[in-house]
Amino acid sequence: EGYSERRVASILKISKTPVHKNKVKQHTLGTTKLQTGRGRKRLSTDRDDRQLIRMSLSNRRMTSSDLQKEWQTAAGVKCTARTVRNRLLGAGLKSCKARKKPFINEKQRRARLRFAKDHKDWTVEDWSKVIFSDESNFQLCPTPGRLMVRRRPGEAYKPQCLAPTVKCGGGSVMIWGCFSKAGIGQICLCEGRMNQAKYKVVLEENLLPSALTMFPNSEDWFFQQDNAPCHTARSIKVWMEDHQIKTLSWPAQSPDLNPIENLWNVIKRKMDGHKPSNKAELLEFLRQEWHKVTQHQCERLVESMPRRMKAVLENQGYSTKY
């Protein structure tokens, strides 16, 4: 339109220099778009990037700063930790919080794998004949695992922004329970330290009535329990034989295979909105929530058992997402 470079810069409120450079670029190249290969050169080659990825995968707990130092030593790539993070993000390696799972040694891994292979062909109908059981501990004042609050600078220690903790959780109760695809069974309070004598009483007063309710016209069912010492004591094995109760050979360190853990977690999440003041109120709350568990929930959990066996096989016996 006949404007001078100074006039264009004044209208656009920018320096005269980019106006002049774009004018020359348009005259020389016929365009003002960025040209390929004109930016800053990458500090690393594709081969260097692959080496960085291998280093990260060999030790997944290394920080980006540690990787940056080791990468510089191994490949001579001088860069910042931010560049390392960008390369790893580009390869899909995002820094995440490690999931907490029970430690599984080699013997336990093989046992889990063997159990999954032995039961990989079990159908939902087969699993519906199993009574799943376990104990769980419930605290009066559980510490939130990850409580998020909104606060301004300087408000970190206001009472509304804290997650209060109490020694030993303010007291706790141990609950034993069982369920099957047919629905929930009985639960009971386990007072004091559980031993084989107390466990035998729990089985007599709670397992047998629950089994009679779930399988009134059949004795073709299995009982599942973990490998706690009181569960595997000789007197308990004799009691099982006397009552003709068939048990599953359950692998150690396998809470992810026991669907009753999911029921316990459901109840523990509901405790966030309930603040019992003593153990009696806590026990009454647990009984109410236990009886709110529907048969549909039980069915869904039992139906997940074939998928759990498949997940163990796919993960070579290590922990699964369940």
Side-chain angles (χ1 to χ4, degrees):
E1 296 183 9
Y3 292 159
S4 65
E5 294 179 2
R6 190 179 300 278
R7 176 62 176 161
V8 172
S10 176
I11 294 174
L12 299 179
K13 298 180 181 181
I14 59 175
S15 170
K16 178 177 173 260
T17 301
V19 177
H20 175 73
K21 287 185 176 181
N22 275 279
K23 178 182 175 183
V24 173
K25 191 174 183 180
Q26 177 69 33
H27 178 74
T28 306
L29 303 175
T31 180
T32 57
K33 294 182 178 180
L34 292 175
Q35 301 298 300
T36 58
R38 300 296 180 180
R40 182 182 177 184
K41 303 297 182 184
R42 283 174 64 93
L43 295 174
S44 61
T45 63
D46 291 343
R47 184 177 181 179
D48 294 333
D49 293 346
R50 291 194 296 270
Q51 183 179 14
L52 174 64
I53 293 170
R54 288 195 298 270
M55 290 163 51
S56 177
L57 292 177
S58 65
N59 185 358
R60 294 177 182 260
R61 299 184 179 184
M62 288 185 69
T63 65
S64 55
S65 298
D66 294 337
L67 284 170
Q68 179 262 327
K69 295 175 184 177
E70 189 168 330
W71 199 23
Q72 182 174 346
T73 302
V77 179
K78 296 182 179 181
C79 66
T80 64
R82 175 74 262 181
T83 300
V84 171
R85 290 194 292 271
N86 289 339
R87 296 290 190 274
L88 296 177
L89 285 173
L93 292 172
K94 181 181 178 182
S95 179
C96 303
K97 184 178 179 181
R99 302 292 176 85
K100 293 183 179 180
K101 287 286 187 177
F103 173 74
I104 297 175
N105 59 33
E106 182 60 23
K107 180 181 178 181
Q108 293 163 347
R109 184 190 72 83
R110 291 197 299 267
R112 283 167 55 87
L113 198 58
R114 183 165 57 251
F115 180 83
K117 288 179 179 178
D118 292 341
H119 297 84
K120 65 182 177 65
D121 295 326
W122 273 35
T123 63
V124 175
E125 184 178 353
D126 294 324
W127 288 109
S128 65
K129 299 177 182 179
V130 177
I131 297 179
F132 298 93
S133 72
D134 194 21
E135 299 92 357
S136 186
N137 189 59
F138 294 85
Q139 294 182 340
L140 263 176
C141 301
T143 302
R146 185 180 181 185
L147 180 63
M148 309 297 291
V149 296
R150 298 188 185 278
R151 68 185 186 215
R152 302 184 186 92
E155 294 183 341
Y157 295 99
K158 281 197 169 186
Q160 305 92 325
C161 302
L162 296 177
T165 62
V166 181
K167 287 186 177 180
C168 304
S172 62
V173 296
M174 179 74 74
I175 298 295
W176 179 92
C178 65
F179 89 103
S180 71
K181 189 181 178 184
I184 58 172
Q186 296 185 7
I187 63 169
C188 69
L189 173 66
C190 303
E191 297 188 23
R193 185 179 181 85
M194 179 68 79
N195 55 37
Q196 52 186 304
K198 291 182 179 180
Y199 187 58
K200 188 185 299 184
V201 174
V202 169
L203 296 177
E204 290 176 347
E205 296 182 356
N206 298 276
L207 173 61
L208 296 181
S210 298
L212 190 60
T213 303
M214 297 174 188
F215 306 99
N217 301 317
S218 173
E219 295 184 356
D220 185 21
W221 54 273
F222 296 87
F223 178 58
Q224 179 277 331
Q225 59 181 357
D226 59 26
N227 293 297
C230 61
H231 297 175
T232 57
R234 184 183 299 275
S235 63
I236 299 299
K237 294 180 179 179
V238 172
W239 185 89
M240 294 287 184
E241 293 175 358
D242 292 342
H243 290 79
Q244 299 180 348
I245 296 177
K246 296 175 289 186
T247 59
L248 290 178
S249 180
W250 203 252
Q253 297 290 77
S254 300
D256 55 336
L257 301 185
N258 191 352
I260 199 172
E261 298 290 348
N262 298 82
L263 290 183
W264 296 139
N265 289 333
V266 168
I267 296 176
K268 288 179 179 179
R269 285 197 298 268
K270 290 184 178 180
M271 286 187 64
D272 293 340
H274 184 80
K275 303 297 181 184
S277 57
N278 52 57
K279 291 185 179 181
E281 290 185 8
L282 175 59
L283 182 59
E284 181 60 28
F285 169 78
L286 296 176
R287 292 186 187 278
Q288 292 176 2
E289 293 301 325
W290 176 257
H291 288 96
K292 289 180 182 178
V293 175
T294 64
Q295 184 174 346
H296 178 67
Q297 288 177 288
C298 297
E299 291 174 353
R300 290 286 301 274
L301 288 174
V302 175
E303 288 169 359
S304 71
M305 290 304 298
R307 297 193 297 272
R308 294 175 193 244
M309 297 300 109
K310 182 179 178 181
V312 173
L313 292 174
E314 291 177 349
N315 214 22
Q316 294 298 309
Y318 289 108
S319 297
T320 65
K321 67 177 183 179
Y322 295 97

